[in-house]
Amino acid sequence: MGLERYLDLLSQTCRSIYIFARSNNIPFEFKHVELFKESVLGKKPAAGSGAEQPHAGPSSREGAGKVSLLKKVPALKDGDFTLEECTAILLYLSRKYNTPDHWYPADIQKRAQVDEYLSWHHANIRASAPKTMWIKVLIPLFTGQPLPSQKLQEVMEGLSSSLKQFEERFLQDKAFIVGSQISLADLVAIVELMQPVGVGCDIFEDRPRLRRWRRRVEDAVGKELFFQAHEMILNIKELSSMQIDPELKEQLAPVLMKMLK
Amino acid sequence: MGLELYLDLLSQPCRAVYVFARANNIPFEFKRVDLLKGQHRTEEFQKVNMLMTVPALKEDSFTLAESIAILLYLARKFKTPDHWYPAELQKRARVDEYLSWQHTTIRAKANDLLCYKMLLPVITGKPVPAEKMQSLTEELNVVLNQFEQKFLQDKPFIAGTEVSLADLLALEEIMQSLIVGHDPFEGRPKLAAWRKRVEGAVGQQLCQEAHGVLMDPSNISADKFTPEILELWKKLYLK
């Protein structure tokens, strides 16, 4: 029985899991969930609510409703066991499949440094980087409203501040966050930082040290896998010409506008 | 030089680290960092943690920030009882899942409410406007509901039958608003029962000692803050 993952490669956290699983030859079934329709609006009934009825539609959508209580990607299903949260999934996979030590080193100090980054990441890099996509692509797409330039500037300032800490505190002069080899920390960081790149805010441009780190991460993961995982985000302009259901637009617009505050 | 823990017991994650270390008889030197006085922003403290956050750990030349990293490090180094971070794969994953989820939910919303109720009266001399208070409470309620429904469900603790790091961190975050007179356990018997179980598992006396700081509102009276910290926190937290 393969692991199933409910993934959407537009999502940075999903990409980290995809890359990690592929990189380590972990057998899985990739179930594509269209992020916006299923997860953001949470249109599916909650699992066990008794409201499940058979309905026409791709099996992946029905499956996604049953698994995800919190209605967000990514989610993992391993037999009867379901798990959410990117960090938890990555750690679970690393343990279950005994992946090479460097991903989550056994040495307790190195391991602590991975934990430290994975924790700090949430309220820092992850607080700003994804907003670039919301502001530059999603909000205009779903609300028909133009790009709010002041908001983007605020987000970029926040992101700059986090990147400074990233370089000075986490990366420093090392090849990777925890020394000479790639770990889960680098993987989680890089997928988040590719988000602004995909929407035309190239944060690597004026940051040579960061750029060199990115190259090393790409090489460590394997360029082919890296770019395959990032193909969607790097071609995000295609999303702009996507047909969005008007009902969906109506439902999503207030949610997105709230993000602008 | 031994283990040093840089803490301010007013801070939720600091209390989690403190309680964990004490509950497991981990020897450490308590280094107080007074947040309201901005001691976390001094040059001296930045040598310990340039991120300027507490809790922080220092052991000879090894320094560590982020409460989750510190808790896990201590659990491993001092080989604490299994239930804190179970070896069993799926139980461990449950703990990881909560620890990851909580950053942008319980932590964020509980902290938002705390900051408004704590800072606004000090800065403006007036209470938080009712409408704002309502929206802060509603947002906190949403995540508390998710906590009860998804993470606790009908289990005694997050990972099952025994207390873990997840429960400890959750409790410290959830109970923080007690210091500003907001009781998150009111009207939530399931949550209140869980709190009793966590405190029982950790030790009543230790909890009373560690949580005592939250029971005295004078700990966050206006005179306790420096003007610089008020200015900074106004920009950061009162958006």
Side-chain angles (χ1 to χ4, degrees):
Chain A
M1 192 184 301
L3 292 184
E4 295 159 33
R5 259 184 277 313
Y6 296 80
L7 294 183
D8 190 303
L9 288 180
L10 277 179
S11 147
Q12 42 294 35
T13 54
C14 288
R15 285 198 298 276
S16 62
I17 295 168
Y18 178 79
I19 290 173
F20 184 70
R22 285 280 314 276
S23 205
N24 287 285
N25 299 309
I26 293 171
F28 71 93
E29 264 178 76
F30 176 24
K31 294 206 171 179
H32 180 71
V33 172
E34 274 185 55
L35 184 70
F36 311 117
K37 289 178 192 163
E38 304 303 331
S39 300
V40 175
L41 289 182
K43 287 173 86 169
K44 307 308 289 173
S49 67
E52 282 149 24
Q53 286 170 19
H55 59 262
S59 59
S60 63
R61 284 162 66 190
E62 198 176 286
K66 286 196 180 101
V67 168
S68 177
L69 284 171
L70 288 178
K71 301 185 179 53
K72 352 178 279 212
V73 290
L76 173 148
K77 192 166 185 286
D78 189 2
D80 288 331
F81 177 67
T82 61
L83 186 65
E84 292 177 25
E85 293 297 315
C86 178
T87 300
I89 294 172
L90 288 169
L91 291 174
Y92 178 82
L93 292 177
S94 75
R95 287 163 184 146
K96 178 163 174 144
Y97 291 92
N98 284 311
T99 53
D101 181 74
H102 64 83
W103 286 111
Y104 195 55
D107 173 86
I108 64 167
Q109 286 189 357
K110 284 201 176 134
R111 182 164 284 197
Q113 287 173 329
V114 178
D115 290 332
E116 186 188 54
Y117 181 76
L118 292 177
S119 174
W120 178 85
H121 176 83
H122 286 271
N124 294 277
I125 300 282
R126 184 152 171 73
S128 314
K131 286 182 183 167
T132 55
M133 180 161 110
W134 289 99
I135 291 173
K136 284 201 87 172
V137 175
L138 297 178
I139 289 173
L141 181 67
F142 282 90
T143 65
Q145 289 203 11
L147 170 72
S149 63
Q150 194 215 346
K151 190 64 188 172
L152 182 65
Q153 202 186 335
E154 271 172 41
V155 166
M156 292 309 289
E157 275 167 16
L159 185 53
S160 277
S161 172
S162 295
L163 287 171
K164 188 163 183 284
Q165 287 189 319
F166 180 79
E167 286 197 59
E168 289 174 10
R169 173 65 174 73
F170 293 96
L171 197 53
Q172 295 169 10
D173 294 316
K174 297 168 279 161
F176 297 97
I177 292 171
V178 184
S180 56
Q181 287 188 285
I182 192 174
S183 71
L184 292 177
D186 304 280
L187 186 54
V188 163
I190 195 75
V191 293
E192 206 74 57
L193 294 177
M194 289 303 288
Q195 209 79 341
V197 172
V199 300
C201 302
D202 191 348
I203 48 99
F204 296 100
E205 209 167 30
D206 299 323
R207 295 183 174 92
R209 182 163 52 167
L210 209 63
R211 204 162 54 236
R212 287 193 294 271
W213 164 78
R214 174 190 162 174
R215 294 274 138 75
R216 288 192 289 269
V217 173
E218 286 174 10
D219 288 339
V221 159
K223 279 198 153 60
E224 197 185 316
L225 174 57
F226 185 86
F227 284 102
Q228 192 211 353
H230 286 96
E231 194 184 335
M232 276 178 91
I233 189 69
L234 291 174
N235 290 299
I236 192 90
K237 288 200 176 71
E238 281 171 26
L239 184 69
S240 306
S241 56
M242 199 171 101
Q243 290 275 24
I244 310 285
D245 192 90
E247 195 197 304
L248 186 71
K249 267 193 192 181
E250 210 182 284
Q251 287 182 317
L252 204 50
V255 176
L256 293 173
M257 291 314 287
K258 209 176 160 194
M259 284 205 64
L260 278 183
K261 285 202 207 138
Chain B
M1 202 100 291
L3 183 67
E4 294 171 351
L5 294 176
Y6 290 76
L7 308 168
D8 183 336
L9 293 184
L10 267 177
S11 140
Q12 311 85 306
C14 284
R15 284 197 305 276
V17 169
Y18 176 77
V19 167
F20 183 69
R22 290 281 316 275
N24 287 285
N25 299 308
I26 292 171
F28 68 92
E29 198 184 329
F30 187 112
K31 302 283 246 185
R32 183 159 186 247
V33 179
D34 189 337
L35 290 173
L36 306 195
K37 295 271 185 289
Q39 285 180 358
H40 55 302
R41 302 182 64 82
T42 60
E43 241 179 77
E44 200 192 321
F45 182 70
Q46 286 187 52
K47 289 184 192 142
V48 174
N49 182 15
M50 73 181 285
L51 297 170
M52 297 187 284
T53 57
V54 285
L57 175 153
K58 187 170 187 298
E59 201 176 22
D60 302 317
S61 58
F62 178 64
T63 60
L64 194 61
E66 296 293 311
S67 62
I68 291 170
I70 294 172
L71 287 165
L72 292 173
Y73 177 76
L74 293 177
R76 287 163 183 143
K77 184 173 168 112
F78 293 93
K79 298 184 168 47
T80 53
D82 180 75
H83 64 81
W84 286 113
Y85 195 54
E88 197 272 312
L89 205 62
Q90 292 185 0
K91 282 199 181 138
R92 181 165 285 199
R94 283 283 162 255
V95 177
D96 289 334
E97 191 185 43
Y98 178 76
L99 293 177
S100 172
W101 176 79
Q102 58 92 34
H103 289 276
T104 54
T105 53
I106 299 281
R107 163 87 185 155
K109 302 303 175 188
N111 211 41
D112 281 348
L113 190 147
L114 169 82
C115 287
Y116 269 89
K117 259 207 124 179
M118 177 175 69
L119 296 174
L120 211 56
V122 169
I123 292 171
T124 65
K126 293 184 209 149
V128 182
E131 205 180 286
K132 182 66 185 172
M133 203 56 218
Q134 196 184 346
S135 100
L136 289 166
T137 312
E138 266 163 26
E139 298 209 7
L140 179 57
N141 278 334
V142 166
V143 299
L144 287 177
N145 289 340
Q146 287 178 325
F147 177 73
E148 288 193 46
Q149 285 155 25
K150 155 79 177 168
F151 292 96
L152 212 47
Q153 294 173 11
D154 292 317
K155 299 167 280 159
F157 300 100
I158 292 167
T161 54
E162 290 184 273
V163 75
S164 72
L165 293 176
D167 303 282
L168 183 54
L169 192 61
L171 180 62
E172 299 302 344
E173 291 290 350
I174 292 170
M175 69 186 303
Q176 185 75 356
S177 62
L178 290 173
I179 198 172
V180 291
H182 179 90
D183 187 350
F185 303 99
E186 200 182 299
R188 288 181 181 273
K190 188 164 154 178
L191 203 66
W194 164 80
R195 173 193 177 179
K196 279 214 165 71
R197 284 192 295 272
V198 178
E199 287 173 345
V202 166
Q204 296 290 358
Q205 206 175 332
L206 174 57
C207 286
Q208 261 166 26
E209 189 210 311
H211 300 158
V213 66
L214 294 178
M215 306 312 170
D216 183 1
S218 75
N219 285 322
I220 51 168
S221 57
D223 56 302
K224 300 286 192 307
F225 296 83
T226 61
E228 295 81 16
I229 275 294
L230 280 180
E231 199 50 51
L232 177 71
W233 286 359
K234 182 175 160 190
K235 272 192 217 132
L236 285 177
Y237 302 118
L238 303 185
K239 289 181 190 138

